[in-house]
């Protein structure tokens, strides 16, 4: 019997230090269906009871994965200082995304949840590339092996080296590029990660506090920082956006392309898996850091040159994920 490859290939480290499966939450943004229509679809496919909480928020309780939240974009829904929103949210549905937020899922559960993409397309869900103003994303929230684990620290460094290449491969939607939610990592943060190997997350946090002023970066580390070192986090980061502590990365870069028939959640998964593949390859990560130092020291070297350098090193080390 021929065995098919899994839609979501394994990450290099599949378990936490406690020997439990590393879980991963997913957030999908789109326009088109209402929160209630989306909740009913989820309940029909995965079981559960739809509970309308008002304020443009629906919870699908007790699905086979646990509770799944469906809500109009939370950042705008809770802006009580904008009185027009209470009357205007429904009228602005074409621009403000509905967001589906899952609980942490195993890789097998991700495989199953991924089938929701087809259903969402059938009820008219639209992604980022359906219109000029539709800047919608997918957030991938993979659990860390442990906050101070060598692999966690190397994953942060690997992301710093790869971010421009990831943006290039994802071809991030123009609207999302100009919106303030997926900013590029500051150059100083990248350089510090290239020049210094940190052995403790707390030390990395102290360095990062010199560069990070917002959660609105393509990889948001603040939930992990707050989970791992809550007191240090409070001392270092004066962030006004509410940050929920959780033992995960918060990967915000990928576009939501929910309406495209050849797209699925495999694409953002594979983008993240590329980061972890580099983190698991000591030789490649060291080569990328050395290459960054050379690039950073060069005058007027274009970003496209750095992207090509990354691509060449990934190819030479046979380390490209299928993205």
């Amino acid at each position: 019997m021929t065995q098919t490859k899994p839609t979501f290939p394994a990450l290099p480290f599949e378990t936490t230090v406690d020997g439990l499966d590393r879980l991963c939450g997913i957030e999908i943004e789109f326009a088109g269906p209402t929160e209630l229509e989306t909740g009913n679809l989820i309940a029909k496919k995965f079981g559960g009871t739809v509970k309308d909480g008002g304020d443009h928020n629906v919870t699908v309780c007790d699905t086979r994965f646990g509770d799944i939240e469906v809500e109009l974009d939370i950042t705008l829904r809770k802006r009580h200082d904008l009185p027009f929103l209470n009357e205007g949210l429904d009228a602005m549905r074409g621009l403000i995304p509905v967001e589906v937020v899952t609980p942490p899922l195993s890789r097998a559960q991700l495989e199953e949840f991924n089938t929701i993409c087809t259903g969402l397309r059938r009820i008219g869900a639209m992604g980022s590339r359906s219109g000029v103003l539709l800047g919608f994303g997918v957030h991938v929230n993979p659990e860390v092996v442990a906050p101070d684990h060598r692999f966690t620290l190397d994953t942060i460094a690997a992301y710093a080296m790869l971010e421009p290449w990831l943006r290039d491969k994802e071809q991030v939607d123009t609207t999302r590029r100009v919106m303030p939610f997926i900013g590029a990592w500051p150059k100083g943060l990248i350089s510090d990660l290239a020049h210094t190997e940190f052995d403790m997350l707390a030390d990395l946090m102290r360095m990062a506090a010199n560069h990070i002023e917002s959660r609105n970066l393509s990889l948001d580390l603040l939930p992990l920082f707050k989970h791992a070192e809550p007191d240090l986090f409070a001392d270092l980061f004066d962030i006004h956006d509410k940050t929920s502590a959780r033992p995960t990365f918060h990967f915000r870069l990928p576009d939501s392309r929910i309406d495209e028939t050849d797209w699925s959640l495999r694409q953002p998964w594979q983008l993240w898996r590329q980061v972890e593949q580099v983190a698991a390859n000591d030789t490649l990560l060291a080569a990328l850091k050395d290459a960054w130092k050379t690039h950073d020291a060069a005058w007027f070297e274009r970003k496209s040159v750095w992207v090509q350098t990354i691509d060449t090193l990934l190819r030479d080390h046979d380390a490209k994920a299928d993205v």
Side-chain angles (χ1 to χ4, degrees):
M1 179 182 294
T2 302
Q3 292 186 338
T4 58
K5 292 183 178 179
T7 305
F8 292 79
L11 299 175
F13 282 72
E14 294 194 77
T15 61
T16 68
V17 291
D18 297 322
L20 303 174
D21 286 347
R22 289 177 65 198
L23 304 180
C24 181
I26 295 288
E27 304 166 40
I28 314 173
E29 298 174 343
F30 52 86
T34 66
E35 305 85 73
L36 192 56
E37 289 169 337
T38 302
N40 287 332
L41 171 69
I42 291 170
K44 182 178 179 180
K45 191 163 186 62
F46 303 127
T49 303
V50 177
K51 179 180 178 182
D52 188 347
D55 194 26
H56 297 277
N57 174 265
V58 166
T59 302
V60 189
C61 303
D62 301 319
T63 76
R64 69 190 62 171
F65 310 124
D67 292 353
I68 296 178
E69 300 291 333
V70 185
E71 55 198 17
L72 213 57
D73 186 276
I74 194 168
T75 58
L76 288 175
R77 197 163 44 84
K78 296 193 175 181
R79 286 289 297 272
H80 300 298
D81 57 326
L82 300 177
F84 76 89
L85 285 178
N86 289 330
E87 292 76 28
L89 281 174
D90 283 315
M92 297 173 67
R93 279 189 177 278
L95 302 178
I96 300 174
V98 169
E99 185 176 38
V100 173
V101 182
T102 76
L105 305 175
S106 69
R107 189 160 59 96
Q109 289 174 322
L110 281 170
E111 294 268 2
E112 185 176 5
F113 180 75
N114 187 44
T115 62
I116 199 65
C117 295
T118 301
L120 287 170
R121 278 193 285 273
R122 286 179 182 148
I123 64 173
M126 297 180 292
S128 282
R129 303 180 191 189
S130 295
V132 68
L133 297 177
L134 304 183
F136 306 149
V138 172
H139 299 182
V140 181
N141 305 311
E143 185 177 10
V144 298
V145 175
D148 284 321
H149 196 279
R150 179 76 261 153
F151 184 67
T152 300
L153 301 169
D154 285 344
T155 299
I156 294 171
Y159 189 83
M161 300 303 105
L162 289 176
E163 187 193 40
W165 184 90
L166 295 168
R167 286 179 180 271
D168 182 74
K169 290 300 176 186
E170 177 65 357
Q171 292 292 294
V172 176
D173 176 72
T174 302
T175 301
R176 293 190 74 225
R177 289 202 301 268
V178 301
M179 292 174 77
F181 303 122
I182 55 165
W185 275 21
K187 188 176 180 181
L189 175 61
I190 297 171
S191 291
D192 281 351
L193 286 164
H195 285 85
T196 307
E197 183 172 287
F198 295 91
D199 295 320
M200 300 290 290
L201 188 66
D203 293 333
L204 192 153
M205 288 172 61
R206 293 184 181 94
M207 176 277 294
N210 296 318
H211 306 288
I212 295 177
E213 299 178 350
S214 166
R215 293 192 61 188
N216 294 327
L217 299 175
S218 60
L219 177 61
D220 173 21
L221 297 175
L222 298 187
L224 173 60
F225 287 171
K226 189 173 183 179
H227 164 81
E229 300 282 352
D231 293 337
L232 181 61
F233 178 88
D235 289 341
L236 292 175
F237 295 97
D238 183 20
I239 304 294
H240 297 294
D241 293 344
K242 182 179 179 182
T243 299
S244 298
R246 54 191 178 188
T248 71
F249 294 112
H250 186 197
F251 181 41
R252 305 164 65 131
L253 180 67
D255 278 350
S256 171
R257 295 161 53 189
I258 191 69
D259 53 309
E260 300 177 28
T261 56
D262 60 347
W263 182 90
S264 78
L265 294 172
R266 182 183 191 276
Q267 171 68 11
W269 174 265
Q270 285 290 80
L271 280 175
W272 179 255
R273 182 169 165 266
Q274 178 69 82
V275 177
E276 294 208 6
Q277 282 186 263
V278 170
N281 188 327
D282 293 342
T283 303
L284 174 54
L285 182 56
L288 284 164
K289 288 181 177 182
D290 287 343
W292 168 261
K293 294 170 190 175
T294 301
H295 168 78
D296 192 31
W299 285 19
F300 308 118
E301 188 164 88
R302 297 188 306 275
K303 185 178 292 185
S304 60
V305 174
W306 175 235
V307 170
Q308 184 56 50
T309 299
I310 297 169
D311 201 71
T312 299
L313 285 169
L314 291 174
R315 185 182 66 245
D316 290 350
H317 289 79
D318 194 25
K320 274 191 180 181
D322 181 15
V323 297

